[in-house]
Structures are given as C-alpha cells and as structure tokens.
Amino acid sequence: MSWGTELWDQFENLDKHTQWGIDFVERYAKFVKERLDVEQTYAKQLRNLVKKYCPKRAKDEEPRFTSCVSFYSILGELNDYAGQREVVAEEMSHKVYNELMRYSQELKAERKHHLQEGRKAQQFLDHCWKQMDNSKKKFERECREAEKAQMTFDRLDNDINATKSEVEKAKAQLYLRTHMADESKNEYAAQLQNFNTEQWKHFNKSIPHIFKNLQNMDERRTVKLGETYRSFAEAERRVIPIVSKCLDGMVSAAKSVDERRDSAIVVESFKSGFEPPGDFPFEDFSQNLSRTGSDSTISNTPKAERDLGPIPRSEAKQTIGRSKNKLWLFGKKPKSPSFLPPPPPSSSSSSCHQRSASQFFPTPRFSSDLVSHYLSEIKTTIPKIPQNIRGLRRGVPSLEDFSHLPPEQRRKRLQQKIDELNRELQKETDQRDALNKMKDVYEKNPQMGDPNSLQPKISETICNMQKLRSEIHKNESWLSEVEGKQSSRGDRRHSADNHHHTPGRESPEGSYTDDTSQEHHTPRHRPAQPAQPNPDPHEFDDEFDDDDPLPVIGHCKALYSFDGQNEGTLKMAEDEVLYVIEEDKGDGWTRARKQSGEEGYVPTSYVEITIEKNSKGAVTYI
C-alpha cells in the first residue's frame, strides 16, 4: 500500500507520524546511552571491587594457600569480566548509539526536505485556486454589469420620451459590458482549466511522490531500528564466549581449592622446629619436714639430696635464674661468661676482691630458705611464651641473620635469601663476561671503542661479585648453623624418645633455657658409661661452634691487665692491642681476639674500644 494513493489527503497526519518516528529513534538512542552508562559504571565498580580486595602486595606476602590463590584467581577472572562489560559498552556506543544519533540527524534533514516540497506544492495549488477564483468572481461581476446594461438599454429603447443619443449611449454601454463579460468568461475558463490541470498534477503526481518518499523514509527508519536492535544483542553475544571462559576459570579456581594442601602450607609456614617440652620432674618439698613415722615410711626424696642438706640461698637464686630463662627458642647465645665482669682496678681493690669472693662463694643460709626456693621454682618453671615470639607478634624489626625467627622459619628465609643472592651473583657474572667480551672486541677493533673505558665498570662488577659472595658465605654459615642445630635437636629428640624419663635434652628443670651460661655449664644427665665416667659438659656445645672465625669489627687497647682465669675469658696485659669481634651486648663483656688467634671475653671497662664504621660482618645474637 502506498501513502500517495491511500493517504493523499493526510498530509498533516503524515507530518505528525514522521515526527513521532524520529522522536522514537532518539528515545531509543537515549535508552542505549543509559544502558551503556550502566555497563560502564558496572565495569568500573567491578574493577574497583577487584582492586579493593586484591591490593598490591610485596613478593614475600603473596598468598600461598589454595583458597587464597583461588580467590585471587576469581578476582582476576572478575576483572576480565569487567573488561568484557567495557567491551559491550564500547560496542553499544559505536555501533548503536552513535549510529542512531547520526541517522536521526539524517532523518530530520530528509523529512524537512520532503515536507517543504509538499508545502510548496500545496502553496502552488492554492495559488492556482486563488487565480481561478478571482477570474470566476470577475466573470460573475462582469456578467451582472452586462445584465444591468442590457436592462438599461431595453428600458430606454422602449421609452418614447428617451432621446436618440441616450439610446445610442445605452447601446454602446451594453456592447462594452457584454464584451468585458465575454473576456472575463474566457479568462475564467482558462484559469479553471489551469487549476484543474495543476490540481490533477498535485494529487496524482506531486503529493504521491512526496508521500512515497516519506513512506520510504519511515520504512528505512523502521529497518534501521531493527538493525540497531540486532547490534544491541550482538554486542552481548560477542562477549559470551569470553564471559563463559571467565566463568569456567572461576569454576576451575573453585575446584582447585585443596584443604590438605592448605593444612600443609600452615605447617610449613608456622613450624618452628622446636621440640615439645619434656616431662616435669617430681620435686619433693617435704624433705625438711620432721618425720616421726616409722623407718618404713616411703620417701621420694633422693638420697643424694638428703645427704647434701640445705641448699645455699645463692645457689637457690641461681637455680631460680635458670628457671626464669627457660624456653629459649631461637638457638644458643654466644658463650659469654655467666658472671658479672670485674670492675676496673682501684684503691679499694681489696674490698672488690672481698665482694667478688662473696659473689662466687656465697655463705650458706638456713635450710628454711629451701622451701621458699622450691616455691619460687614452681612459679618460674611454668612454661611462658618467649619474649622473642611476643616481639614477632608486635612486629619487631627483622635482623640480618633472621635470628628473631624460629629455626625452621629462619632456615627457609636464609635459603630464600641465598637463592636471591645467587641469582644476583649470576647476573653480575653474566655482566662481567659480557663486558670482558666487549673489551676484547674493542681491543681487536679500536675504532669501535676504547677498551679502557670499560675497566671501571668491570671493576665495579667484580667488586659487586665479591660482596655478593661474602653475603652468600655469611648466609650459608648461618644456614649451616641452623641446620646443625636442627639435626642436633633431632638427635636429642630421638634420644629423649628412647629414654623418656631421662631429661637428656632439657635443662634440669625440664625445659629449655635462653641463658647460655646455664645451658653450657650445667652438666647433662647421661646414662653411665664405663669408658667415660666423667662426660665433658661442653660436648654438646661443640656441635654449635662456628667453623669460620668471626670477622673483625674493630680493635681495642687494654687499659689494665686481666688474668682471665675463668672459663671463656681472655687473658691480656696492659696496653695490649686486641681485635674486637663482638661488641658488648649489655652484660659488660666484649669478645676479642689476639693476634695469635686466641679468642675470649674481656671486661668492657678494662679496654678502650674503637669500632670501624665500614666493618661488615658484625654478628648480632639474640
């Protein structure tokens, strides 16, 4: 059906309909714009959500648990999904919204052109109608004037009183009006014929052609809407395969969650390498009570303790000190003397000697102090959380040798650091080889460059390699120390399992001690052996001795002479110069080495110390 034939008289309605069609296109374009804004906002919110729950982390803080890895994989897939939503928004923007807005402008221009042609045709037809109507009215008016002239002529011609001149004048007037009426008639007939022709052309050619163009425009608008509907759906369809892959990735990440693997990672992450505490020995507090029973009364007090009698108060204090220093988790301290260093020599040397004597040889106390001693022993032998672990929870700064960590974690961190240093060393080695090859090329072809210009870089690289080797050696020594301690603890644990009731791997109080003086100088309870009646109390300590000597960090000059009679101390003469290999840790002792290689501790107040600022290799113990 054609608008030109069926709607020839509906110009105004077609004008309204085509305007509605363009408004509908713009309305749909607005819908698409809001939809792509929703997609862009959705994608942006998804990316912000992923960024919020997947913050930047350091390499050491990367998650290792399968649940965490899966979650971050899901976040990655969700980020890719957000990218696909952005693709959808971009497709809608370029292929739908922008196309609709462009087409809407074209429709407006085309509609305006067709409507202007229709109005011009209508105006031309109206002009022809006016001309025809004016000629008609003129013809009608001339006819009436001619009729009046005819009536006037007839009246004068029949009037006997009328003069001949009046009759002739009326006759001439009649002739004139009749002629004018005939001319008006011919003009009217011509205008009428012209109007009928133009009207036929208007309603059979011009209007049908214009309405046909409007019909084609409206049909093309409808087709264009259908194409944009399809493009709108295709924008979603194109991303479905990738979205499906994202969803499949999320499902795969969910399937990769392994609870057993996570449990193993927990063990690997937090395993300290320490041994569980052993059994607490029975301590008899009734040995000082007066017994009035028969001789057959059972007493659990060991005979040796009953024979020894009351323990001196100072020894009780030392025992209490040992119990307070239990649970040393992070290896042994250096073998510093367990007693206080002597004060510098002065005029009151005799009084100092008396105080020193009273310190090392305390006077016995009454046996009543023994009960207080055992009560204190009970309170102090309760296992407590080591200060080292508390410090880890509070975030104590890590040390270079990771001695603030438990043995197992320390071993892992040292191994990681050694691997990193080896990688850096390999890079420096490759760089050195490349520079040497370049230098050889320059030497063979001087026009390519100066070989001497590469020497500073080669020297710098070699220096870096030496530093890295030194760091690797230092970390390997720490690693071997940790592994040696762990193997020794494993041997002791095995021994403790074979002799469950023999506290061979513990301090006499039944737990570890962080006081190395108590650990190293307390005799171990071992089964009696015929070949070794007196085992060496430092036999176990030798397993922890470092193979490599400690590096020199400075030197010192003796202000006074020191006899060094106690174990672990170093004898020195006045004005003697020694190497400092370990600074004073607050206990009053400084570890030094003679030129002969002999090492030991000297009182810090006896020497004048000079520490080298650029010294690397100072060992810090916890």
mmCIF file of all heavy atoms in Angstrom, residues 527-562:
data_model
loop_
_atom_site.group_PDB
_atom_site.id
_atom_site.type_symbol
_atom_site.label_atom_id
_atom_site.label_comp_id
_atom_site.label_asym_id
_atom_site.label_seq_id
_atom_site.Cartn_x
_atom_site.Cartn_y
_atom_site.Cartn_z
ATOM 1 N N PRO A 527 73.278 -41.566 80.713
ATOM 2 C CA PRO A 527 73.491 -42.893 81.308
ATOM 3 C C PRO A 527 74.969 -43.150 81.549
ATOM 4 O O PRO A 527 75.839 -42.720 80.794
ATOM 5 C CB PRO A 527 72.912 -43.824 80.238
ATOM 6 C CG PRO A 527 72.009 -42.974 79.416
ATOM 7 C CD PRO A 527 72.609 -41.615 79.440
ATOM 8 N N ALA A 528 75.228 -43.829 82.622
ATOM 9 C CA ALA A 528 76.631 -44.097 82.985
ATOM 10 C C ALA A 528 77.273 -45.011 81.964
ATOM 11 O O ALA A 528 76.679 -45.995 81.524
ATOM 12 C CB ALA A 528 76.685 -44.736 84.373
ATOM 13 N N GLN A 529 78.466 -44.688 81.569
ATOM 14 C CA GLN A 529 79.226 -45.485 80.625
ATOM 15 C C GLN A 529 80.568 -45.823 81.248
ATOM 16 O O GLN A 529 81.232 -44.959 81.818
ATOM 17 C CB GLN A 529 79.442 -44.714 79.317
ATOM 18 C CG GLN A 529 78.132 -44.359 78.619
ATOM 19 C CD GLN A 529 78.375 -43.597 77.345
ATOM 20 O OE1 GLN A 529 79.528 -43.377 76.984
ATOM 21 N NE2 GLN A 529 77.292 -43.191 76.689
ATOM 22 N N PRO A 530 81.012 -47.043 81.119
ATOM 23 C CA PRO A 530 82.285 -47.439 81.755
ATOM 24 C C PRO A 530 83.467 -46.689 81.169
ATOM 25 O O PRO A 530 84.374 -46.307 81.865
ATOM 26 C CB PRO A 530 82.361 -48.947 81.453
ATOM 27 C CG PRO A 530 80.958 -49.359 81.146
ATOM 28 C CD PRO A 530 80.294 -48.171 80.539
ATOM 29 N N ALA A 531 83.432 -46.460 79.847
ATOM 30 C CA ALA A 531 84.608 -45.845 79.232
ATOM 31 C C ALA A 531 84.687 -44.353 79.498
ATOM 32 O O ALA A 531 85.753 -43.773 79.410
ATOM 33 C CB ALA A 531 84.601 -46.097 77.725
ATOM 34 N N GLN A 532 83.521 -43.722 79.807
ATOM 35 C CA GLN A 532 83.516 -42.279 80.023
ATOM 36 C C GLN A 532 82.811 -41.997 81.337
ATOM 37 O O GLN A 532 81.636 -41.634 81.354
ATOM 38 C CB GLN A 532 82.807 -41.562 78.863
ATOM 39 C CG GLN A 532 83.505 -41.756 77.543
ATOM 40 C CD GLN A 532 82.732 -41.093 76.431
ATOM 41 O OE1 GLN A 532 81.651 -40.617 76.643
ATOM 42 N NE2 GLN A 532 83.323 -41.083 75.237
ATOM 43 N N PRO A 533 83.489 -42.133 82.413
ATOM 44 C CA PRO A 533 82.831 -41.882 83.704
ATOM 45 C C PRO A 533 82.515 -40.416 83.914
ATOM 46 O O PRO A 533 81.592 -40.080 84.613
ATOM 47 C CB PRO A 533 83.854 -42.398 84.713
ATOM 48 C CG PRO A 533 85.169 -42.304 83.975
ATOM 49 C CD PRO A 533 84.886 -42.569 82.554
ATOM 50 N N ASN A 534 83.286 -39.497 83.336
ATOM 51 C CA ASN A 534 83.060 -38.058 83.521
ATOM 52 C C ASN A 534 82.891 -37.419 82.145
ATOM 53 O O ASN A 534 83.853 -36.979 81.521
ATOM 54 C CB ASN A 534 84.255 -37.412 84.255
ATOM 55 C CG ASN A 534 84.386 -37.949 85.672
ATOM 56 O OD1 ASN A 534 83.376 -38.175 86.337
ATOM 57 N ND2 ASN A 534 85.627 -38.140 86.098
ATOM 58 N N PRO A 535 81.662 -37.372 81.632
ATOM 59 C CA PRO A 535 81.473 -36.766 80.306
ATOM 60 C C PRO A 535 81.749 -35.277 80.340
ATOM 61 O O PRO A 535 81.553 -34.622 81.346
ATOM 62 C CB PRO A 535 79.998 -37.062 79.996
ATOM 63 C CG PRO A 535 79.363 -37.224 81.330
ATOM 64 C CD PRO A 535 80.399 -37.828 82.215
ATOM 65 N N ASP A 536 82.212 -34.803 79.196
ATOM 66 C CA ASP A 536 82.524 -33.373 79.071
ATOM 67 C C ASP A 536 81.230 -32.569 79.017
ATOM 68 O O ASP A 536 80.374 -32.826 78.162
ATOM 69 C CB ASP A 536 83.331 -33.144 77.791
ATOM 70 C CG ASP A 536 83.800 -31.706 77.683
ATOM 71 O OD1 ASP A 536 83.586 -30.948 78.650
ATOM 72 O OD2 ASP A 536 84.369 -31.362 76.630
ATOM 73 N N PRO A 537 81.058 -31.605 79.922
ATOM 74 C CA PRO A 537 79.798 -30.840 79.894
ATOM 75 C C PRO A 537 79.659 -29.994 78.661
ATOM 76 O O PRO A 537 78.581 -29.523 78.366
ATOM 77 C CB PRO A 537 79.877 -29.966 81.153
ATOM 78 C CG PRO A 537 81.337 -29.845 81.440
ATOM 79 C CD PRO A 537 81.949 -31.153 81.014
ATOM 80 N N HIS A 538 80.731 -29.737 77.918
ATOM 81 C CA HIS A 538 80.654 -28.895 76.723
ATOM 82 C C HIS A 538 80.688 -29.722 75.454
ATOM 83 O O HIS A 538 80.918 -29.198 74.375
ATOM 84 C CB HIS A 538 81.823 -27.899 76.688
ATOM 85 C CG HIS A 538 81.860 -27.029 77.916
ATOM 86 N ND1 HIS A 538 80.922 -26.075 78.169
ATOM 87 C CD2 HIS A 538 82.733 -27.008 78.969
ATOM 88 C CE1 HIS A 538 81.204 -25.466 79.318
ATOM 89 N NE2 HIS A 538 82.282 -26.022 79.811
ATOM 90 N N GLU A 539 80.447 -31.039 75.628
ATOM 91 C CA GLU A 539 80.491 -31.884 74.444
ATOM 92 C C GLU A 539 79.402 -31.491 73.452
ATOM 93 O O GLU A 539 79.615 -31.431 72.246
ATOM 94 C CB GLU A 539 80.328 -33.332 74.861
ATOM 95 C CG GLU A 539 80.270 -34.321 73.672
ATOM 96 C CD GLU A 539 80.025 -35.735 74.134
ATOM 97 O OE1 GLU A 539 79.937 -35.934 75.365
ATOM 98 O OE2 GLU A 539 79.935 -36.618 73.282
ATOM 99 N N PHE A 540 78.219 -31.212 73.968
ATOM 100 C CA PHE A 540 77.117 -30.825 73.085
ATOM 101 C C PHE A 540 77.318 -29.436 72.481
ATOM 102 O O PHE A 540 76.878 -29.154 71.374
ATOM 103 C CB PHE A 540 75.795 -30.866 73.864
ATOM 104 C CG PHE A 540 74.614 -30.459 73.066
ATOM 105 C CD1 PHE A 540 74.143 -31.240 72.022
ATOM 106 C CD2 PHE A 540 73.962 -29.263 73.339
ATOM 107 C CE1 PHE A 540 73.045 -30.854 71.285
ATOM 108 C CE2 PHE A 540 72.873 -28.875 72.600
ATOM 109 C CZ PHE A 540 72.410 -29.689 71.576
ATOM 110 N N ASP A 541 78.007 -28.560 73.199
ATOM 111 C CA ASP A 541 78.207 -27.207 72.710
ATOM 112 C C ASP A 541 79.094 -27.174 71.483
ATOM 113 O O ASP A 541 78.990 -26.278 70.661
ATOM 114 C CB ASP A 541 78.828 -26.309 73.797
ATOM 115 C CG ASP A 541 77.890 -26.192 74.981
ATOM 116 O OD1 ASP A 541 76.681 -26.405 74.761
ATOM 117 O OD2 ASP A 541 78.377 -25.910 76.090
ATOM 118 N N ASP A 542 79.988 -28.173 71.360
ATOM 119 C CA ASP A 542 80.898 -28.160 70.227
ATOM 120 C C ASP A 542 80.161 -28.312 68.909
ATOM 121 O O ASP A 542 80.667 -27.942 67.857
ATOM 122 C CB ASP A 542 81.957 -29.263 70.375
ATOM 123 C CG ASP A 542 82.849 -29.014 71.592
ATOM 124 O OD1 ASP A 542 82.916 -27.825 72.000
ATOM 125 O OD2 ASP A 542 83.449 -29.969 72.109
ATOM 126 N N GLU A 543 78.966 -28.911 68.981
ATOM 127 C CA GLU A 543 78.224 -29.091 67.744
ATOM 128 C C GLU A 543 77.748 -27.767 67.183
ATOM 129 O O GLU A 543 77.418 -27.662 66.017
ATOM 130 C CB GLU A 543 77.033 -30.014 67.993
ATOM 131 C CG GLU A 543 77.442 -31.398 68.473
ATOM 132 C CD GLU A 543 76.212 -32.247 68.778
ATOM 133 O OE1 GLU A 543 75.106 -31.736 68.579
ATOM 134 O OE2 GLU A 543 76.372 -33.393 69.194
ATOM 135 N N PHE A 544 77.664 -26.755 68.008
ATOM 136 C CA PHE A 544 77.150 -25.472 67.567
ATOM 137 C C PHE A 544 78.258 -24.473 67.254
ATOM 138 O O PHE A 544 77.975 -23.360 66.878
ATOM 139 C CB PHE A 544 76.254 -24.854 68.653
ATOM 140 C CG PHE A 544 75.004 -25.648 68.856
ATOM 141 C CD1 PHE A 544 74.940 -26.625 69.837
ATOM 142 C CD2 PHE A 544 73.895 -25.422 68.066
ATOM 143 C CE1 PHE A 544 73.797 -27.343 70.016
ATOM 144 C CE2 PHE A 544 72.735 -26.128 68.250
ATOM 145 C CZ PHE A 544 72.681 -27.107 69.222
ATOM 146 N N ASP A 545 79.501 -24.829 67.483
ATOM 147 C CA ASP A 545 80.583 -23.893 67.227
ATOM 148 C C ASP A 545 80.692 -23.613 65.738
ATOM 149 O O ASP A 545 80.559 -24.504 64.903
ATOM 150 C CB ASP A 545 81.921 -24.452 67.744
ATOM 151 C CG ASP A 545 81.920 -24.479 69.267
ATOM 152 O OD1 ASP A 545 81.098 -23.746 69.861
ATOM 153 O OD2 ASP A 545 82.727 -25.232 69.849
ATOM 154 N N ASP A 546 80.910 -22.360 65.403
ATOM 155 C CA ASP A 546 81.042 -21.978 64.004
ATOM 156 C C ASP A 546 82.383 -22.460 63.469
ATOM 157 O O ASP A 546 83.412 -22.381 64.137
ATOM 158 C CB ASP A 546 80.936 -20.468 63.853
ATOM 159 C CG ASP A 546 79.565 -19.988 64.260
ATOM 160 O OD1 ASP A 546 78.624 -20.772 64.116
ATOM 161 O OD2 ASP A 546 79.476 -18.841 64.737
ATOM 162 N N ASP A 547 82.383 -22.951 62.246
ATOM 163 C CA ASP A 547 83.631 -23.378 61.610
ATOM 164 C C ASP A 547 84.483 -22.181 61.225
ATOM 165 O O ASP A 547 85.701 -22.236 61.251
ATOM 166 C CB ASP A 547 83.307 -24.220 60.374
ATOM 167 C CG ASP A 547 82.575 -25.497 60.751
ATOM 168 O OD1 ASP A 547 82.815 -25.990 61.876
ATOM 169 O OD2 ASP A 547 81.796 -25.996 59.905
ATOM 170 N N ASP A 548 83.861 -21.099 60.833
ATOM 171 C CA ASP A 548 84.603 -19.927 60.387
ATOM 172 C C ASP A 548 84.721 -18.933 61.536
ATOM 173 O O ASP A 548 83.763 -18.722 62.277
ATOM 174 C CB ASP A 548 83.898 -19.272 59.204
ATOM 175 C CG ASP A 548 83.784 -20.231 58.028
ATOM 176 O OD1 ASP A 548 84.712 -21.049 57.864
ATOM 177 O OD2 ASP A 548 82.783 -20.158 57.302
ATOM 178 N N PRO A 549 85.892 -18.294 61.671
ATOM 179 C CA PRO A 549 86.034 -17.291 62.731
ATOM 180 C C PRO A 549 85.202 -16.063 62.419
ATOM 181 O O PRO A 549 84.929 -15.747 61.262
ATOM 182 C CB PRO A 549 87.538 -16.973 62.717
ATOM 183 C CG PRO A 549 87.967 -17.303 61.331
ATOM 184 C CD PRO A 549 87.126 -18.460 60.890
ATOM 185 N N LEU A 550 84.799 -15.369 63.484
ATOM 186 C CA LEU A 550 84.005 -14.160 63.311
ATOM 187 C C LEU A 550 84.868 -13.055 62.724
ATOM 188 O O LEU A 550 86.057 -12.948 63.025
ATOM 189 C CB LEU A 550 83.436 -13.703 64.656
ATOM 190 C CG LEU A 550 82.418 -14.637 65.298
ATOM 191 C CD1 LEU A 550 82.020 -14.114 66.668
ATOM 192 C CD2 LEU A 550 81.196 -14.764 64.417
ATOM 193 N N PRO A 551 84.308 -12.212 61.867
ATOM 194 C CA PRO A 551 85.106 -11.127 61.272
ATOM 195 C C PRO A 551 85.426 -10.061 62.306
ATOM 196 O O PRO A 551 84.728 -9.875 63.299
ATOM 197 C CB PRO A 551 84.192 -10.585 60.178
ATOM 198 C CG PRO A 551 82.832 -10.922 60.641
ATOM 199 C CD PRO A 551 82.939 -12.235 61.361
ATOM 200 N N VAL A 552 86.501 -9.333 62.040
ATOM 201 C CA VAL A 552 86.953 -8.273 62.935
ATOM 202 C C VAL A 552 86.121 -7.026 62.657
ATOM 203 O O VAL A 552 85.963 -6.622 61.500
ATOM 204 C CB VAL A 552 88.456 -7.978 62.725
ATOM 205 C CG1 VAL A 552 88.893 -6.811 63.589
ATOM 206 C CG2 VAL A 552 89.276 -9.212 63.040
ATOM 207 N N ILE A 553 85.584 -6.432 63.703
ATOM 208 C CA ILE A 553 84.770 -5.220 63.548
ATOM 209 C C ILE A 553 85.447 -4.003 64.172
ATOM 210 O O ILE A 553 84.889 -2.912 64.122
ATOM 211 C CB ILE A 553 83.379 -5.428 64.178
ATOM 212 C CG1 ILE A 553 83.520 -5.688 65.689
ATOM 213 C CG2 ILE A 553 82.638 -6.557 63.517
ATOM 214 C CD1 ILE A 553 82.178 -5.759 66.409
ATOM 215 N N GLY A 554 86.618 -4.182 64.774
ATOM 216 C CA GLY A 554 87.324 -3.052 65.367
ATOM 217 C C GLY A 554 88.528 -3.549 66.172
ATOM 218 O O GLY A 554 88.947 -4.707 66.059
ATOM 219 N N HIS A 555 89.097 -2.697 66.973
ATOM 220 C CA HIS A 555 90.208 -3.073 67.828
ATOM 221 C C HIS A 555 90.063 -2.362 69.167
ATOM 222 O O HIS A 555 89.282 -1.408 69.301
ATOM 223 C CB HIS A 555 91.540 -2.714 67.170
ATOM 224 C CG HIS A 555 91.717 -1.237 66.944
ATOM 225 N ND1 HIS A 555 91.206 -0.593 65.830
ATOM 226 C CD2 HIS A 555 92.325 -0.265 67.704
ATOM 227 C CE1 HIS A 555 91.495 0.689 65.900
ATOM 228 N NE2 HIS A 555 92.169 0.920 67.032
ATOM 229 N N CYS A 556 90.804 -2.845 70.137
ATOM 230 C CA CYS A 556 90.742 -2.263 71.475
ATOM 231 C C CYS A 556 92.140 -2.307 72.103
ATOM 232 O O CYS A 556 92.983 -3.136 71.730
ATOM 233 C CB CYS A 556 89.728 -3.005 72.350
ATOM 234 S SG CYS A 556 90.121 -4.740 72.647
ATOM 235 N N LYS A 557 92.323 -1.430 73.050
ATOM 236 C CA LYS A 557 93.587 -1.347 73.775
ATOM 237 C C LYS A 557 93.306 -1.574 75.253
ATOM 238 O O LYS A 557 92.386 -0.972 75.821
ATOM 239 C CB LYS A 557 94.237 0.022 73.566
ATOM 240 C CG LYS A 557 95.556 0.202 74.297
ATOM 241 C CD LYS A 557 96.128 1.590 74.054
ATOM 242 C CE LYS A 557 97.439 1.803 74.790
ATOM 243 N NZ LYS A 557 97.967 3.157 74.583
ATOM 244 N N ALA A 558 94.090 -2.474 75.861
ATOM 245 C CA ALA A 558 93.892 -2.817 77.266
ATOM 246 C C ALA A 558 94.355 -1.663 78.156
ATOM 247 O O ALA A 558 95.504 -1.224 78.064
ATOM 248 C CB ALA A 558 94.641 -4.096 77.616
ATOM 249 N N LEU A 559 93.455 -1.169 78.994
ATOM 250 C CA LEU A 559 93.811 -0.134 79.959
ATOM 251 C C LEU A 559 94.410 -0.734 81.225
ATOM 252 O O LEU A 559 95.198 -0.081 81.904
ATOM 253 C CB LEU A 559 92.576 0.700 80.303
ATOM 254 C CG LEU A 559 91.879 1.397 79.114
ATOM 255 C CD1 LEU A 559 90.622 2.113 79.589
ATOM 256 C CD2 LEU A 559 92.823 2.367 78.440
ATOM 257 N N TYR A 560 94.002 -1.966 81.538
ATOM 258 C CA TYR A 560 94.504 -2.681 82.716
ATOM 259 C C TYR A 560 94.793 -4.104 82.302
ATOM 260 O O TYR A 560 94.310 -4.602 81.281
ATOM 261 C CB TYR A 560 93.482 -2.664 83.862
ATOM 262 C CG TYR A 560 92.864 -1.306 84.121
ATOM 263 C CD1 TYR A 560 91.596 -0.996 83.630
ATOM 264 C CD2 TYR A 560 93.548 -0.327 84.844
ATOM 265 C CE1 TYR A 560 91.032 0.243 83.855
ATOM 266 C CE2 TYR A 560 92.986 0.924 85.072
ATOM 267 C CZ TYR A 560 91.721 1.206 84.579
ATOM 268 O OH TYR A 560 91.172 2.427 84.794
ATOM 269 N N SER A 561 95.545 -4.761 83.088
ATOM 270 C CA SER A 561 95.822 -6.182 82.862
ATOM 271 C C SER A 561 94.663 -7.002 83.417
ATOM 272 O O SER A 561 94.016 -6.631 84.393
ATOM 273 C CB SER A 561 97.133 -6.581 83.530
ATOM 274 O OG SER A 561 97.062 -6.332 84.934
ATOM 275 N N PHE A 562 94.421 -8.133 82.784
ATOM 276 C CA PHE A 562 93.330 -9.022 83.184
ATOM 277 C C PHE A 562 93.861 -10.445 83.118
ATOM 278 O O PHE A 562 94.413 -10.879 82.088
ATOM 279 C CB PHE A 562 92.132 -8.824 82.256
ATOM 280 C CG PHE A 562 90.957 -9.698 82.588
ATOM 281 C CD1 PHE A 562 90.252 -9.520 83.773
ATOM 282 C CD2 PHE A 562 90.557 -10.700 81.715
ATOM 283 C CE1 PHE A 562 89.178 -10.319 84.072
ATOM 284 C CE2 PHE A 562 89.485 -11.501 82.021
ATOM 285 C CZ PHE A 562 88.789 -11.302 83.205
#
